[in-house]
Amino acid sequence: MLPVISAPASYFEARSWIEPTLRQRGPILIGVDGLDGAGKTSFATWLAWQFGMKVVHLDLYVINGKRPIEWRTGDLERTIDARLGNGGRPLVVEGILLLQALNDIGKTASKLFFVELEGNNGSHFLADEISNYMNKYVPQKLAYVLKWTDNSR
């Protein structure tokens, strides 16, 4: 039986969207992308909890002080490979600039979510980098988009 919890309706809609993919065989990498502060970590953690999956948080692999943002790609790749290969369970990877990070290690998401919070334009500190990323990868066009207001999440 799947866990039940009070959550925004959009969480349950997203859960229904991903369920058919989770029945497939082979490694399944689920990506959760969005601007900083949009609710990616909350959604990714909830989704992983719903299906008994592990979560990799890109924040843990960022090289501090590097601009543009860089990740410890060797560590990130080893972690993802180990978790995808561990019993064949799907894996959730979440963080800003997700498609860029996955591209840097030669991975793609089997399914992609993009989390948007009304009125959130991301941090001013990362504005140029995020703008370049959004123009290059256009993640909203590739993803199931979750949109909410501060009151709905």
Side-chain angles (χ1 to χ4, degrees):
M1 178 175 200
L2 290 175
V4 177
I5 187 171
S6 177
S10 59
Y11 277 31
F12 290 104
E13 292 164 9
R15 181 181 131 169
S16 295
W17 180 73
I18 199 75
E19 280 180 308
T21 300
L22 299 179
R23 292 186 202 108
Q24 298 172 4
R25 292 180 178 251
I28 299 170
L29 191 156
I30 300 165
V32 180
D33 200 350
L35 299 179
D36 47 312
K40 296 175 304 300
T41 301
S42 296
F43 174 68
T45 302
W46 182 86
L47 187 67
W49 177 71
Q50 288 290 296
F51 293 106
M53 299 180 285
K54 302 271 186 200
V55 181
V56 172
H57 304 279
L58 285 183
D59 292 353
L60 300 175
Y61 298 89
V62 170
I63 300 172
N64 290 330
K66 287 286 212 170
R67 291 296 172 263
I69 289 177
E70 290 182 28
W71 296 270
R72 293 187 333 270
T73 53
D75 293 339
L76 178 60
E77 184 173 16
R78 280 189 294 279
T79 300
I80 289 173
D81 287 345
R83 294 203 174 158
L84 281 175
N86 187 11
R89 297 291 306 152
L91 175 67
V92 179
V93 180
E94 69 86 17
I96 64 168
L97 311 177
L98 174 73
L99 297 177
Q100 179 179 321
L102 293 177
N103 185 62
D104 286 354
I105 61 171
K107 306 278 185 216
T108 57
S110 305
K111 287 289 188 177
L112 180 66
F113 291 96
F114 189 86
V115 181
E116 290 183 352
L117 174 61
E118 183 179 294
N120 176 30
N121 296 319
S123 68
H124 178 69
F125 180 67
L126 297 172
D128 289 340
E129 195 165 349
I130 288 172
S131 177
N132 291 338
Y133 169 79
M134 298 295 255
N135 289 329
K136 180 176 180 179
Y137 291 95
V138 196
Q140 311 94 311
K141 300 272 187 203
L142 305 171
Y144 182 101
V145 178
L146 286 96
K147 293 183 183 184
W148 47 58
T149 64
D150 251 340
N151 297 332
S152 68
R153 49 175 192 163

